[in-house]
Amino acid sequence: QHSPCLLHFSRFFHPFTMVFPESGTRTRVNGATLTQHTGCQVVLLGEVNQMDSSGKVLTVKASDGQSVQVILQQPAQEILEGLIEIHGVVEGRQVICQSYITFPLDDARNFDMQSYDQAVRLIHTVKDNPWKSD
Amino acid sequence: MWNSTAGGFDSGYGGGNDGGFMNSQNQFASPGGQDQKKARHSQNLVPVTIKNIIDFEGDNLLIAGMEVHMVDVVGLIRAVDITSTRITYTIDDHTATIEAVQWQEPEQGSDDPARGSLMEMTYCRVSGAIRSQMGKRHIIVFRIAPITDINLITTHILEVIHCVLKLQHLNSLGGDTGPSHPAVMSNSLVGASGLDGGTKTTNMGGMNMQGLNAQQRMVFQAIYQSSDEGGAGRENIYSVLKGKLSPPQIDQALEFLSSEGHVYTTIDDDHFRAIES
């Protein structure tokens, strides 16, 4: 049950005060695969369910429908809604966000969340595929 | 779901076929004659991850044993650097990051090189060629466009996975004379059947497949099929035969092949060429 990434990050892990490198090796996850990646860098594409009044805590519905809490390092400067892609580190059932992008409503309008979720599942099941590094 | 349109995925992945997917004419001017020769060799446009490009060792990117020079990546633009001669995008597809250089045509009356450049923190699709300069790899951009349909992110994830699996599948179909026959691409020049060198011989100048066991044959074919100018590198042979033979097995076969005179070393002890008839 020990996530492989935990060993790598444990030396540096210090919640809320860390500065992560902007880019790196991240794995796309949904709600189900999130918990297998504690301490790992992930990409979570989903829909914003709600944002709390501080602007720092988001509830995101992952591509498989599961709810994930996302902690922003700075309060959001705008109202976040619709399709969002979070880049961050998993801590339990939360993602500590390093960066995120939102998508224009027009581009996200026809987005097929189910197909995307299938792609995420394939990333985690197809052996030796280039999207997942062990 | 998605269907393959211009990708032409069903028309085959063979490196030498005219039906190879997304064949393109070699229209770009490359800096060196050597690069042009290599580009004409493999005219496939292959969907890959940036990690594939950054990580490969040796002279060429190999996807399931096939040489890849032109690539298709989808990623997030992290930075845009604009000069009067070129725009350099830093692209991150979450497997790794790479710079993609788009050379600018000097346009008459155009005073703003930033016009038409894509924006940071948006997804884009880049088609281009892999280049190495001063030890660092980057992509020369043929085409870069913003992703306006987010489904294309899904499509690209799937295309990359599909490409690898399809090529591996084609590889495994290559042999038709049983398990001892080495797996080769359908456009292979060498088949183990039909090569009859007569009795076992150590003569140079004959492509004698008899007297070789299956492992030695596989290694010989990997060397024979390599188009590397300096000879097939040991690491390249490891990666081409990954999953079929282990490095110690390959080393052993290389020892045998070179001592018997079927292959010879070229630029160093780790590069080989096959003796052809």
Side-chain angles (χ1 to χ4, degrees), chain A residues 48-111:
Chain A
V48 181
N49 256 354
Q50 62 188 44
M51 199 163 91
D52 81 335
S53 47
S54 72
K56 279 187 79 170
V57 182
L58 295 180
T59 310
V60 172
K61 186 168 87 164
S63 53
D64 58 354
Q66 291 190 23
S67 259
V68 179
Q69 264 211 336
V70 175
I71 316 288
L72 302 181
Q73 301 204 2
Q74 312 289 337
Q77 300 300 313
E78 42 180 346
I79 308 241
L80 294 173
E81 56 186 356
L83 203 59
I84 193 168
E85 187 179 83
I86 307 286
H87 318 129
V89 178
V90 178
E91 193 188 78
R93 276 211 64 83
Q94 290 183 337
V95 176
I96 313 297
C97 177
Q98 299 161 337
S99 60
Y100 68 83
I101 62 169
T102 56
F103 299 91
L105 232 51
D106 279 344
D107 296 355
R109 187 190 308 270
N110 296 318
F111 183 62

Side-chain angles (χ1 to χ4, degrees), chain A residues 14-40:
Chain A
H14 201 271
F16 305 116
T17 59
M18 292 205 38
V19 177
F20 287 95
E22 249 201 337
S23 312
T25 300
R26 294 188 193 84
T27 314
R28 287 189 181 268
V29 294
N30 54 15
T33 48
L34 188 81
T35 47
Q36 299 155 19
H37 289 78
T38 306
C40 296

Side-chain angles (χ1 to χ4, degrees), chain B residues 52-247:
Chain B
N52 286 144
I53 303 172
I54 298 291
D55 278 3
F56 76 84
E57 286 171 20
D59 300 321
N60 295 306
L61 170 57
L62 294 172
I63 301 290
M66 185 177 81
E67 266 186 42
V68 172
H69 299 287
M70 290 189 278
V71 295
D72 205 41
V73 300
V74 168
L76 198 59
I77 299 175
R78 289 285 189 184
V80 181
D81 180 65
I82 301 167
T83 71
S84 54
T85 50
R86 65 191 194 183
I87 303 180
T88 303
Y89 295 98
T90 305
I91 315 272
D92 173 11
D93 71 352
H94 309 295
T95 67
T97 305
I98 198 169
E99 285 186 351
V101 178
Q102 184 182 34
W103 293 96
Q104 301 275 64
E105 295 292 316
E107 278 164 34
Q108 286 182 331
S110 146
D111 36 33
D112 181 13
R115 195 168 50 117
S117 73
L118 277 65
M119 292 196 349
E120 287 182 14
M121 296 306 273
T122 62
Y123 270 94
C124 70
R125 182 185 192 137
V126 177
S127 303
I130 300 172
R131 285 283 183 277
S132 195
Q133 200 167 20
M134 294 183 293
K136 193 174 158 197
R137 285 194 190 128
H138 60 272
I139 299 173
I140 299 264
V141 174
F142 299 154
R143 182 175 179 264
I144 183 167
I147 294 271
T148 51
D149 180 355
I150 317 295
N151 291 311
L152 288 177
I153 296 180
T154 308
T155 305
H156 183 71
I157 294 170
L158 297 168
E159 281 179 356
V160 167
I161 296 176
H162 177 260
C163 180
V164 175
L165 292 177
K166 181 83 185 186
L167 286 170
Q168 286 174 348
H169 178 64
L170 286 175
N171 276 342
S172 70
L173 288 179
D176 53 346
T177 57
S180 64
H181 186 110
V184 296
M185 294 287 282
S186 55
N187 62 343
S188 162
L189 301 168
V190 179
S193 60
L195 270 182
D196 188 7
T199 53
K200 176 175 173 180
T201 169
T202 55
N203 283 348
M204 303 233 308
M207 206 161 53
N208 178 22
M209 299 303 271
Q210 296 196 335
L212 299 184
N213 65 25
Q215 292 179 356
Q216 290 153 358
R217 239 179 275 150
M218 277 169 78
V219 174
F220 179 90
Q221 294 215 353
I223 297 170
Y224 185 88
Q225 289 176 329
S226 163
S227 50
D228 289 325
E229 316 230 44
R234 194 181 290 263
E235 291 292 318
N236 256 359
I237 301 171
Y238 288 165
S239 112
V240 165
L241 296 173
K242 188 171 174 194
K244 297 179 201 136
L245 292 180
S246 69

Side-chain angles (χ1 to χ4, degrees), chain A residues 5-23:
Chain A
C5 300
L6 195 59
L7 294 166
H8 179 69
F9 279 96
S10 57
R11 280 197 301 141
F12 310 102
F13 199 59
H14 201 271
F16 305 116
T17 59
M18 292 205 38
V19 177
F20 287 95
E22 249 201 337
S23 312

